[in-house]
Each structure stands twice: as structure tokens, then as C-alpha cells.
Amino acid sequence: MLRQALMQMSKSARVRHLVETAPGSRQVVRRFVAGAGTADALRASTQITSSHRLVTLDHLGEDTGDVTQARAIRDAYCGLLRGLADAGLAEGGRCEVSLKLSAVGQALPGEGEKVALEHAWDVCQAASEAGTTVTLDMEDHTTTDSTLSVLRELRADFPWVGAVLQSYLRRTESDCKDLAGAGSRVRLCKGAYDEPESVAFAAKAEVDRSYVRCLRVLMAGEGSPMVATHDPRLIDIAGALAVQNGRSQGSYEYQMLFGVRPDEQQRLADRGEKVRVYVPYGDQWYGYLVRRMAERPANTAFFLRSLATRG
Ligand code: FDA
């Protein structure tokens, strides 16, 4: 209920302005976002990789409303990938990038999907030159078919492109079956958008059960599952399924968000597991921050205090 109310409230332009200008917001943002520019992203990547964790970088931005902005986001990704290569951080996929198609044009009227595909192709080409990979983030359910269709097109030229699937969607077990083949990279998460019950499980227990069903498919498949969750129970189940399926460490990976359970990230990495941290950076942090606040009551309290300290 609280989650839904917060997601609804966050759509108001007034609330957005209030949050973006509240001094307390900066404190919250610093916890979840690595900084505003490429230099901040590179600094965070250097620090994280020095403790044997891997990185996926997200240049914040979504629902881009014009093609000029979509091109600017594509260029920012290409510049970031050159920076990662120059710093020796990209090789072997040590630091890769996560891309939201709506940031590079998917939401534009008319030819949005085509524009997003062209921009995403350029980002994949830059990643290929840098020696690393790209994973397509998944947004609300109205974009799932389009994102999976862009994924198919990109994988024809760049077979290593990864995708995110969300266990709260009723369709996802079937999508996992389609995407569990050789060479595939699927990041499984619970899902962070406000979705109707017609397409998504509403109860947390159902979302978790779906997560386990999807994990079973991916771990038994021929691809590289990316277990994106902070949930201790699901992390244990993923480990058990990896053993059951005879998978070696490194044939799958754990993924968590920047600023969330860093001790657990390190514990898994120290055990020899592959652990990747999702690191967002940039000044378009509003949508990302609202989703982080909505998924955890402790974060929500932090968020509301930030509004109260506006002064
Ligand atoms: P959930 O929020 O249900 O928490 C389960 C348990 O985990 C808690 O009870 C607690 O024990 C522990 N936990 C969670 N947060 C914690 C915290 N802050 N501190 C301590 N313990 C905590 N979503 C999406 O829709 N599209 C996408 O593309 C992505 N991409 C993505 C990438 C990566 C790498 C991650 C980790 C997540 C995403 N997500 C996402 C977000 C995802 O869908 C989901 O909203 C969040 O990961 C929160 O869900 P959890 O699986 O962590 O469980």
C-alpha cells in the first residue's frame, strides 16, 4: 500500500520539485548514487573493483522526451566506455554498463523503438571496442515486448548483450525459458515498478516463489544467470541451485545495488563468488531514488525526513 502510494505521489511535478530541491535529498542520493559525472563513476568503479567485486554502470536518465537528449545519453555511454577502457577497467567485462532503452529514445512517439535500437547498437559497438558488455535494464510492463525485441536484434551482432527479467511479472517464467540458451545473460530481479495485478503478482510471497521458479530455469539452462537481489533467502537458494546444477563459481553471478548490503557483497566476493555492483551516476536521479525508497520502509522514512528538512 505504502509502496503504491509513494509511486503514485512521485508522479506529481510538485512532489518531484520538492524532492529535487530538498537539502535532505542530497544525503539520500549520496547513499545510492555514485556522483554526478563520469569521473565519479570511474572513481567508484576503481574502488569497487579493488575489492574483487565487478561493476555495472547506469548513466541515470529515463523516459527521454526528445531525440537530442536521447543522443546525448548515447554519447555519455560511449564516452564512459572509452573512459573505462583507458583506465583498464573494462577488460573481460570487469566493468560493464546497464542501459535503459527509454533513456535512448524508446518512449519517443512513432519510431521510438527504432531510435532506441540504433542508439543501443552504438553503445554496444563502443562496449565491444572497450572489451566489455551491455545489459538492457527492464522498465514497466508496457515496454517488455519492445525491449525483448530490441534485445533479439542486438544479439544478432553482439551475442553477449544481457537482459533483465522481473519475477513479479506473470509472463517471466516463460521468458526465462526462451532466454536460457547458450551464451545468454539474464539478470533476474523482483521488479521495481508499480504494476497492475492483471500482469503482475501482488503478494511478496508470490513474487518470491516466482523468483525461485525462474532461477530454477536459468540455473538449469546454458546461459549465465545474474542473481540480482539482496534477499538472503533467495541468495541461499541460488547457491544451492548452482551446486545442484553442477555449476562452477563464475558461471553465474550475484548482483546488488550500490549502497545496499555492501558487507554481504564483500562476504560473497571473499568466498570466491562473482559479485557485481550496480552503480548509478548522473544528475537524473529522481526516478531511481523513488524506486529505492518505495521498496523498503526504512528507506521511505529516510526519504520523508528529507522532505521535512527542506529549508
Ligand atoms: P526485497 O526488496 O523484497 O528485500 C528482500 C530482503 O532483502 C529484505 O527483507 C532484506 O532482508 C534484504 N534487503 C533488501 N534491501 C535491503 C537493504 N537496503 N538493506 C539491508 N537488507 C536489505 N528492477 C527493475 O524493475 N528493472 C531493472 O532493470 C532492475 N535492475 C536491477 C539490477 C540490480 C543489480 C538489482 C540488485 C536490482 C535491480 N532492480 C531492477 C530492482 C529490483 O527489481 C528490486 O526492486 C530490488 O532489488 C529490491 O528487491 P530485493 O530482491 O532486494 O528484495
Side-chain angles (χ1 to χ4, degrees):
M1 277 295 273
L2 180 63
R3 177 173 195 256
Q4 241 172 2
L6 197 67
M7 297 287 265
Q8 279 306 318
M9 191 178 79
S10 70
K11 289 177 187 154
S12 140
R14 248 186 91 225
V15 171
R16 181 179 186 130
H17 179 73
L18 202 64
V19 173
E20 285 181 338
T21 55
S25 293
R26 255 171 262 136
Q27 191 195 347
V28 192
V29 171
R30 262 200 302 274
R31 188 175 143 198
F32 292 104
V33 175
T38 305
D40 299 308
L42 294 176
R43 198 174 314 114
S45 302
T46 303
Q47 190 242 321
I48 292 166
T49 51
S50 72
S51 56
H52 308 292
R53 289 169 295 165
L54 310 170
V55 169
T56 184
L57 285 155
D58 167 29
H59 178 83
L60 289 168
E62 52 200 86
D63 295 332
T64 297
D66 66 78
V67 77
T68 311
Q69 174 67 5
R71 263 188 227 124
I73 292 184
R74 172 202 57 189
D75 294 346
Y77 268 102
C78 294
L80 170 69
L81 284 158
R82 281 192 297 275
L84 287 172
D86 291 347
L89 289 164
E91 61 205 9
R94 234 177 2 134
C95 296
E96 64 133 42
V97 297
S98 285
L99 181 67
K100 281 189 178 49
L101 290 181
S102 82
V104 288
Q106 188 183 37
L108 297 175
E111 304 231 287
E113 183 178 310
K114 185 166 166 279
V115 173
L117 171 60
E118 285 165 7
H119 288 158
W121 197 94
D122 294 341
V123 173
C124 290
Q125 180 61 29
S128 171
E129 284 162 16
T132 191
T133 51
V134 177
T135 301
L136 302 182
D137 279 345
M138 193 59 85
E139 301 177 68
D140 73 76
H141 80 278
T142 63
T143 66
T144 308
D145 282 328
S146 163
T147 300
L148 293 180
S149 153
V150 169
L151 173 77
R152 273 191 297 277
E153 299 264 358
L154 291 172
R155 286 193 73 202
D157 291 330
F158 309 102
W160 40 256
V161 177
V164 177
L165 294 177
Q166 301 149 316
S167 74
Y168 65 13
L169 293 186
R170 297 177 192 275
R171 61 178 283 168
T172 293
E173 191 179 348
S174 156
D175 288 333
C176 284
K177 287 177 185 157
D178 290 345
L179 285 178
S184 70
R185 295 172 58 248
V186 175
R187 171 187 297 159
L188 182 65
C189 67
K190 290 189 187 178
Y193 295 80
D194 185 20
E195 300 288 17
E197 264 203 82
S198 52
V199 297
F201 301 112
K204 185 177 155 28
E206 275 188 298
V207 176
D208 290 358
R209 276 198 292 274
S210 164
Y211 197 103
V212 175
R213 288 196 300 276
C214 293
L215 258 186
R216 282 188 197 286
V217 174
L218 296 175
M219 284 290 187
E222 298 172 282
S224 302
M226 302 184 271
V227 184
T229 181
H230 312 100
D231 194 324
R233 214 167 53 89
L234 294 178
I235 290 170
D236 285 349
I237 291 173
L241 285 173
V243 172
Q244 221 177 74
N245 285 283
R247 280 184 172 270
S248 57
Q249 283 182 328
S251 69
Y252 60 96
E253 63 187 56
Y254 295 99
Q255 299 193 339
M256 295 188 209
L257 301 177
F258 179 77
V260 181
R261 301 198 74 202
D263 294 347
E264 175 64 1
Q265 296 173 16
Q266 198 57 55
R267 186 188 71 82
L268 289 166
D270 291 345
R271 240 175 47 186
E273 297 288 359
K274 218 167 161 184
V275 177
R276 193 177 295 276
V277 186
Y278 184 102
V279 180
Y281 75 99
D283 50 18
Q284 302 288 307
W285 43 259
Y286 182 74
Y288 181 83
L289 192 75
V290 166
R291 291 193 291 279
R292 298 296 75 77
M293 298 305 109
E295 66 205 8
R296 195 164 164 79
N299 292 345
T300 312
F302 207 35
F303 178 70
L304 294 175
R305 271 203 304 280
S306 91
L307 291 182
T309 54
R310 186 172 199 267

